[in-house]
Amino acid sequence: MDAQGRGRGENIDPADQWVLNPSTGEYELRLSPSAPQSPIPGPRGPRNAGAGNPRARSASPDRAPERPGRTSAGSETPGRDVPPQRRRRGAQEEPAAGRRGRRPAPKSKKAKKVLLWTSGTVAFLVLATGVGGYLYLEHLNDNITSVSDDGAGTGGFKKDQAINILLIGTDKRTGSGNEGYGDKGSEGHADTTILLHVSKDRSNATALSIPRDLIVDIPDCPTEQEDGSQKVIPGETGVRFNTSLGQAGRTPSCTMRTVTELTGIKPDNFMVADFNAVKTLTSAVGGVPVCLGKDINDPDSHLNLPKGTHRIEGEEALAFVRTRHSVGLGGDLSRIELQQQFLSSLMRELKSNDTLTSPSKMIKLAEAGTKALTVDSSLNSINKLKDLGLELGKLNVKNLTFTTIPVIDNPAEKVKATVVLDESKAPQVFDLIRNDVSFTEVKKKQKKEKAAVAARLKGEKAPASEVRVRILNGGAPAGSAQSTLSWLQVDEGVSKSENAGNAPAEAAKTTLEYAPDQADQARRLADIMGLSASALKPGESVTNSQGLPAMTLTLGKDFKGAGVSLTPPDKAPDDIKKSTADKVVCAE
């Protein structure tokens, strides 16, 4: 990478510019042999008049650097800081002379680590959380490209909630050396898509791959245009999932909407990367070890490797994650498994080789990661990426499960080219993720509040004939309150029930509110309807049409019909194919 602003013109790798100053014990950037050393730019304290730098500025550590305007060489406005010349996108920024920053976090057992993620084989890098690494990333803020989510997401992940990130790898051909990949002239497709779900307590995560050839319905997609106006891109039914991006002017927000339509899970954020991300990120980390159970020579992907273990990066890594004709059954589902193995290996590599305490690798990853990303507008700052990295860093790879939406061959096709949902398995997988259920066994301490919730189902149950309940429709399909009332009265003997119409507001979950002296009635109704303990809400009773106290049953958007249990599964079914990121698997 060319060092900027030094007038020397030679190519300098920023990773080689970090030196350890023995006098201070700090890592510093030495930009040229004659230039003074200056630590990595980061948050500055108040202006120090004795520092010998009248142009030094103070800045908030939570704020990205301001974009400087252009200025002629040697010009300076009295009383104002002189901003440096605007650098081009992706160029190395030069720290101001005399500016001091913080050194990188030293190697320590207590050093925080972050889970580095990828999608579309390596769709993104969640940037490192070590102090030195994070401070360095501030000046790379301009590398990050963002586009609107058009209201398709939740507005961004929250630290106290489960996290759902949509990772999209596009086959758009950009950059030199990519002429042999993807569709020429195409705007790109959602070539590889992973819905990453991180549990609320951060004890586990599930990476759900979505086959590109899965037949889905794409909804209408309100989309922000370059001029700021909004255009609705018409939806389509019965088309390949990969057409949810790039085609007909669709942006990642449309892929977001398609995933919500398909799974019932609304992503918080999205991250997108193209072919170059695979090449630059694998080179930045020093290569990724992969295992082949047989020789592979795939002329389509340009992968030619003998059986055994190899360390791959750059062009070879891209070929590896794009190969499909030489592995498994030769289709996209086999390629998905290969990509999952690759991602698992990448994460093991990052956790085993002290990447996050290596100044050299930290810089390379920061440079490559910020340039590789396209994110939604609520995730377009270094501070947000840091926060996300901290949350993901709490995960253990042994509790990170890779799986794929269960599918079957499209029965409408004689020549099998696409797939459709396996309706006997896919809904259960979606339920597991929606209800924050781990695909691996996670040993967790039972918290007092969880024990208290579970206790709501324990105890005496009133006879069905004594249960008084008013039923409200809070987002369930039209007519659900009446059909539930009929089922309770006719089939279950809950005669003291009534339809109370629509709820004042929609509810995501079905709930049963009851007063303390109605707990036995609540347990009976929960048993009849298959309500979970978390659906029971101790509160107050209401008065029914006879003037008697009654409970309130609100049917939420999760309601599936009278008699269909609403108790979520507590573990993944045994016949769902899955793997965890801590296991080494050889591609066959």
Side-chain angles (χ1 to χ4, degrees):
M1 182 177 298
D2 293 335
Q4 300 297 312
R6 289 292 177 187
R8 295 178 57 87
E10 67 260 53
N11 292 330
I12 302 174
D13 186 339
D16 297 329
Q17 295 172 277
W18 272 40
V19 296
L20 178 66
N21 186 331
S23 299
T24 65
E26 294 183 340
Y27 284 95
E28 300 176 347
L29 278 177
R30 188 189 297 276
L31 296 179
S32 74
S34 60
Q37 294 182 7
S38 177
I40 292 173
R44 274 77 66 190
R47 186 191 305 267
N48 185 347
N53 182 8
R55 294 185 291 175
R57 286 199 300 255
S58 62
S60 167
D62 293 329
R63 192 175 85 179
E66 296 179 2
R67 298 191 178 188
R70 296 186 181 273
T71 181
S72 59
S75 64
E76 184 170 342
T77 303
R80 295 183 60 188
D81 298 331
V82 179
Q85 180 177 357
R86 181 187 296 270
R87 60 186 173 86
R88 60 181 174 81
R89 177 181 175 86
Q92 171 80 11
E93 183 182 20
E94 176 186 339
R99 182 181 298 168
R100 296 191 61 82
R102 298 180 185 176
R103 61 177 172 174
K107 290 186 179 182
S108 167
K109 292 181 179 179
K110 296 181 180 179
K112 293 183 179 179
K113 294 186 178 181
V114 67
L115 181 62
L116 299 171
W117 265 95
T118 57
S119 161
T121 59
V122 185
F124 80 98
L125 172 67
V126 174
L127 303 170
T129 62
V131 173
Y134 166 55
L135 298 181
Y136 174 69
L137 297 183
E138 287 196 18
H139 89 285
L140 300 176
N141 203 50
D142 285 345
N143 282 357
I144 302 172
T145 301
S146 68
V147 295
S148 174
D149 74 351
D150 299 308
T154 64
F157 76 93
K158 297 177 179 60
K159 295 182 180 180
D160 59 346
Q161 298 295 326
I163 298 174
N164 293 295
I165 307 292
L166 188 63
L167 316 176
I168 308 169
T170 175
D171 58 0
K172 184 175 182 179
R173 303 195 318 183
T174 59
S176 61
N178 294 324
E179 294 80 7
Y181 302 106
D183 297 330
K184 186 175 182 179
S186 169
E187 289 298 316
H189 305 76
D191 191 53
T192 299
T193 306
I194 295 176
L195 179 62
L196 170 64
H197 172 84
V198 184
S199 67
K200 182 178 179 179
D201 63 6
R202 309 296 185 252
S203 67
N204 65 90
T206 302
L208 180 67
S209 293
I210 304 175
R212 67 179 187 181
D213 296 325
L214 175 63
I215 296 300
V216 298
D217 293 338
I218 299 177
D220 291 345
C221 297
T223 306
E224 182 178 305
Q225 305 299 297
E226 290 186 2
D227 62 1
S229 63
Q230 190 176 80
K231 176 182 177 181
V232 177
I233 309 298
E236 293 184 85
T237 59
V239 296
R240 279 181 166 89
F241 175 83
N242 67 350
T243 61
S244 65
L245 176 67
Q247 310 308 298
R250 297 185 179 113
T251 67
S253 68
C254 195
T255 307
M256 251 187 168
R257 295 185 194 277
T258 305
V259 169
T260 302
E261 184 92 357
L262 174 68
T263 66
I265 302 163
K266 193 171 188 177
D268 300 305
N269 301 96
F270 65 72
M271 293 181 170
V272 186
D274 59 20
F275 293 151
N276 287 324
V278 182
K279 297 191 288 188
T280 59
L281 291 176
T282 53
S283 295
V285 78
V288 176
V290 295
C291 178
L292 298 180
K294 64 177 182 179
D295 297 344
I296 292 183
N297 186 0
D298 187 348
D300 292 316
S301 70
H302 314 300
L303 181 68
N304 187 358
L305 289 174
K307 176 181 177 179
T309 301
H310 308 270
R311 181 173 290 273
I312 59 175
E313 63 178 274
E315 201 74 42
E316 197 168 46
L318 178 59
F320 182 87
V321 297
R322 287 191 57 77
T323 196
R324 60 191 176 101
H325 298 301
S326 300
V327 293
L329 299 177
D332 187 52
L333 296 180
S334 296
R335 186 184 69 150
I336 287 175
E337 292 182 12
L338 193 72
Q339 292 171 349
Q340 292 173 347
Q341 295 167 18
F342 178 84
L343 295 177
S344 296
S345 180
L346 173 61
M347 285 179 286
R348 291 194 302 271
E349 177 73 8
L350 290 168
K351 291 186 73 70
S352 66
N353 65 358
D354 294 326
T355 297
L356 299 179
T357 56
S358 166
S360 173
K361 288 189 176 182
M362 286 287 291
I363 292 178
K364 289 181 179 179
L365 286 168
E367 294 279 354
T370 51
K371 292 174 185 176
L373 292 174
T374 296
V375 299
D376 67 273
S377 52
S378 66
L379 198 60
N380 66 347
S381 73
I382 293 298
N383 196 48
K384 277 290 186 181
L385 287 173
K386 179 265 298 182
D387 288 344
L388 179 59
L390 286 170
E391 296 305 309
L392 298 182
K394 299 173 184 178
L395 291 171
N396 187 320
V397 292
K398 71 178 182 180
N399 292 323
L400 168 60
T401 303
F402 285 95
T403 189
T404 304
I405 291 180
V407 295
I408 59 174
D409 288 333
N410 190 344
E413 296 175 337
K414 291 183 179 180
V415 178
K416 304 304 180 184
T418 62
V419 293
V420 296
L421 284 184
D422 183 342
E423 296 293 350
S424 67
K425 298 179 180 179
Q428 189 172 3
V429 170
F430 300 153
D431 276 349
L432 286 166
I433 295 176
R434 277 197 300 266
N435 289 285
D436 206 22
V437 178
S438 176
F439 279 63
T440 59
E441 291 187 11
V442 182
K443 294 181 179 179
K444 295 181 288 186
K445 294 181 179 179
Q446 186 77 354
K447 295 182 179 180
K448 291 182 178 180
E449 57 266 28
K450 290 186 177 180
V453 170
R456 295 172 190 169
L457 292 175
K458 298 177 181 178
E460 295 292 329
K461 299 182 180 68
S465 59
E466 295 182 8
V467 173
R468 291 192 183 89
V469 61
R470 299 175 76 246
I471 306 169
L472 297 172
N473 190 328
S480 293
Q482 185 57 43
S483 62
T484 301
L485 174 66
S486 299
W487 172 71
L488 287 174
Q489 290 182 340
V490 175
D491 297 342
E492 301 298 331
V494 185
S495 56
K496 298 175 182 178
S497 52
E498 62 184 39
N499 183 352
N502 292 327
E506 288 193 347
K509 301 285 187 179
T510 296
T511 59
L512 176 63
E513 184 177 0
Y514 58 96
D517 61 352
Q518 296 172 318
D520 58 341
Q521 296 182 46
R523 286 190 283 268
R524 173 59 66 191
L525 190 60
D527 183 57
I528 292 172
M529 297 194 62
L531 298 178
S532 64
S534 61
L536 273 60
K537 304 295 182 185
E540 299 179 353
S541 64
V542 294
T543 302
N544 65 11
S545 57
Q546 283 78 43
L548 299 173
M551 301 182 295
T552 300
L553 174 65
T554 303
L555 306 179
K557 293 181 180 179
D558 63 336
F559 184 73
K560 302 173 183 178
V564 180
S565 175
L566 287 173
T567 300
D570 57 2
K571 66 176 184 177
D574 295 333
D575 58 352
I576 295 295
K577 192 171 184 179
K578 57 186 183 293
S579 63
T580 52
D582 61 325
K583 299 293 191 299
V584 177
V585 180
C586 294
E588 295 284 353

